[in-house]
Amino acid sequence: MELETKIKEIEEVELDNPIILEGLPGIGFVGKIVVDQLVKQLDAKKFAILESDYFPPQVTMKSDGLIDYMKNEFYYVKDVGENNQDIVILTGNSQASDFEGQILISKILANYFVDLNAKKIFTLGGLGTGEMIEKSKVCVAGNNKELIDEILEIENTE
């Protein structure tokens, strides 16, 4: 049996060069907590769901007692901020449970984001240090030095 991963669009959206904000369960649930809060504060609208046989065979229970299967969800917000930026937010209750699934899902997501005409993807998450820390801090890493410098410049002006 071949394992399957697919993105189901539940609403067709027209986005103008969106940026992607991704936060999935991980160390301390940091990224997921951030993007879930953004979904609420920005009143983002769900437009697609990623389902995968690579997600663990389990469910979560919601506060009303209903169960929910493992999935990732895509939300969008149009015209945010002074630059009228479109944003896609990816959140979910799971990541792939093995290396093969992580690679495959990453490729599917990257191709989907290209189809959405996204040029920037920001992945949010916790960084495990193996030690207790006194004061929280934000770390920035990436594959584009100019973008890292741009982010650090914005952080230093606030």
Side-chain angles (χ1 to χ4, degrees), residues 4-6 8 49-53 55 69-71:
E4 188 175 0
T5 297
K6 61 186 173 210
K8 289 185 190 177
I49 299 170
L50 182 141
E51 298 172 335
S52 179
D53 293 333
F55 291 153
Y69 64 97
M70 300 290 103
K71 63 184 178 294

Side-chain angles (χ1 to χ4, degrees), residues 82-138:
E82 58 190 47
N83 294 335
N84 296 324
Q85 178 67 60
D86 289 355
I87 299 174
V88 170
I89 301 169
L90 176 64
T91 186
N93 55 14
S94 188
Q95 293 193 52
S97 53
D98 65 19
F99 181 73
E100 180 183 355
Q102 291 169 358
I103 296 299
L104 178 77
I105 290 171
S106 294
K107 287 179 181 179
I108 288 170
L109 287 171
N111 289 333
Y112 187 63
F113 295 148
V114 166
D115 290 345
L116 292 176
N117 202 28
K119 304 287 190 272
K120 296 177 182 175
I121 301 171
F122 296 92
T123 300
L124 310 168
L127 176 64
T129 63
E131 300 174 9
M132 294 299 293
I133 57 169
E134 298 282 324
K135 184 179 177 207
S136 297
K137 64 180 179 177
V138 174

Side-chain angles (χ1 to χ4, degrees), residues 7-26:
I7 296 174
K8 289 185 190 177
E9 291 186 329
I10 56 178
E11 178 186 335
E12 191 172 316
V13 295
E14 297 264 340
L15 300 169
D16 184 24
N17 298 315
I19 61 169
I20 311 297
L21 303 177
E22 176 271 336
L24 295 170

